[in-house]
Every structure is written in C-alpha cells, then in structure tokens.
Amino acid sequence: MWSDELCFQLHHADGRVRIWRKQHESMHPTCMSTTLQAGGGSVMVWGMFSWHDLGPLIRVEQRLNSTTYLSIVADQVHPIMLMAYPNGDGVFQQDNVPCHSARIVHEWFQEHEGDSTLLRWPPQSPDLNPIEHLWDEVKKAIRQLVPQPSNLTELDNAIHQALCQIPRITFQHLVESMARRIATVLKAKGGPTKY
C-alpha cells in the first residue's frame, strides 16, 4: 500500500495575470482581474492505494500532526491491511514527514509489526512514491471541470469523484513501474531521472 497526503487549492493564483487592453480601456470591467486573498482556501486529503485497489480518501480537517496521522493509521490503514493481507505479508509505505516519523507513530507500528511491514523510506531520497501520479491525474481532472468548484465542499467532492474514476489498471501500471524507477535512480546514483 502506497500512501501520501496532498493539499488541493480552491483557486490557483500564482500572482501572474496578464491583461491586454487599449489605453482607453484601462478602467473597463472586462479589462480588470479580481484577486483572491490566500487562494480561496484548500482541502487536504490523505489517501492510499495498492496494486489491487484504491484505499480510503480521508479529508484532513486540521493540520496533519502525529496524533491525527496516528488516528488515520489505526482507524483506516490497519483494518484495510489486515483485510487485504490476512497473513501479515502486506507492506505499507509512508514518507518521512515529521508526523509520520513521530515517536508515537513509530511505537504504534512496532506494537503491530506482525500485522504488516512498514517500508523503510530513505530520508532525502528522490520521491518515487507512485501515488504522486494519482494526485496528478486528480489535478488534471479537476482543472478540466466546467464550471470549476466554487467552494471547498465542491472541491472535496471533485477530488473524491476524480480519484474514484481512475481505473484499476492505472494502479497496477504504477506499482509495476517501481522496479524500473528504482533501477533508474540507482543508475543515476540518486541524481535526476525522468520520474
């Protein structure tokens, strides 16, 4: 199972807006662009997937800290890992952000080590997590929506819908690509790769 979290912005504002107008049109409403304070808000989600299927998509209401993350692991990850890998042969991936590597999270995984294996993720490694590609697919699907989500509830619904529409074969291709990705990183000695 591969996991990660991502923050989706309601409005994308990079501060670069170009408006072409004639000199006498400087105050015409069609030649003005409104601005948004702080991008209009965001929705943070945590998700996971495997070769077999998509796991839960959890909306993180507050800042993701070790306590919040531990509740996701205990309430969501653990039961799914037990169901998907009843022999305890499943491997769970998480990166090394502080809330994932906190002492309470580490201790919880030690207490439940017979249920699944926690994949050791090297610090400061190239980001090979294939879930990043799923997040890209979700972002593309949301950018193509007409009309665009206008509030955080609509954005949350759009994220869920876009993720659920990704076919299972996509999960399988991403997981199967891991051997190639790792070989490419090793060949580049940790340097830049196409992944």
Side-chain angles (χ1 to χ4, degrees), residues 78-96:
H78 190 241
I80 289 172
M81 293 297 288
L82 288 175
M83 186 175 61
Y85 305 99
N87 298 330
D89 57 348
V91 178
F92 178 71
Q93 177 276 335
Q94 63 181 9
D95 56 24
N96 290 317

Side-chain angles (χ1 to χ4, degrees), residues 118-146:
L118 181 62
L119 180 66
R120 291 175 47 119
W121 202 248
Q124 303 206 352
S125 62
D127 193 354
L128 295 177
N129 190 344
I131 202 169
E132 300 295 343
H133 294 279
L134 293 183
W135 296 143
D136 287 342
E137 291 295 320
V138 171
K139 288 178 193 175
K140 286 179 202 171
I142 292 173
R143 279 195 304 268
Q144 293 173 355
L145 290 177
V146 177

Side-chain angles (χ1 to χ4, degrees), residues 1 10-11 13 23 32 34-35 37 40 44 53 62 87 97 107 112 116 130 137 142 156 164-165 167 183 190:
M1 293 281 188
L10 181 59
H11 301 288
Q23 189 172 7
M32 294 183 176
T34 59
T35 60
Q37 193 83 9
M44 178 178 265
D53 211 352
Q62 69 270 11
N87 298 330
V97 296
E107 288 172 355
H112 296 86
S116 62
E137 291 295 320
I142 292 173
D156 186 41
C164 289
Q165 290 178 348

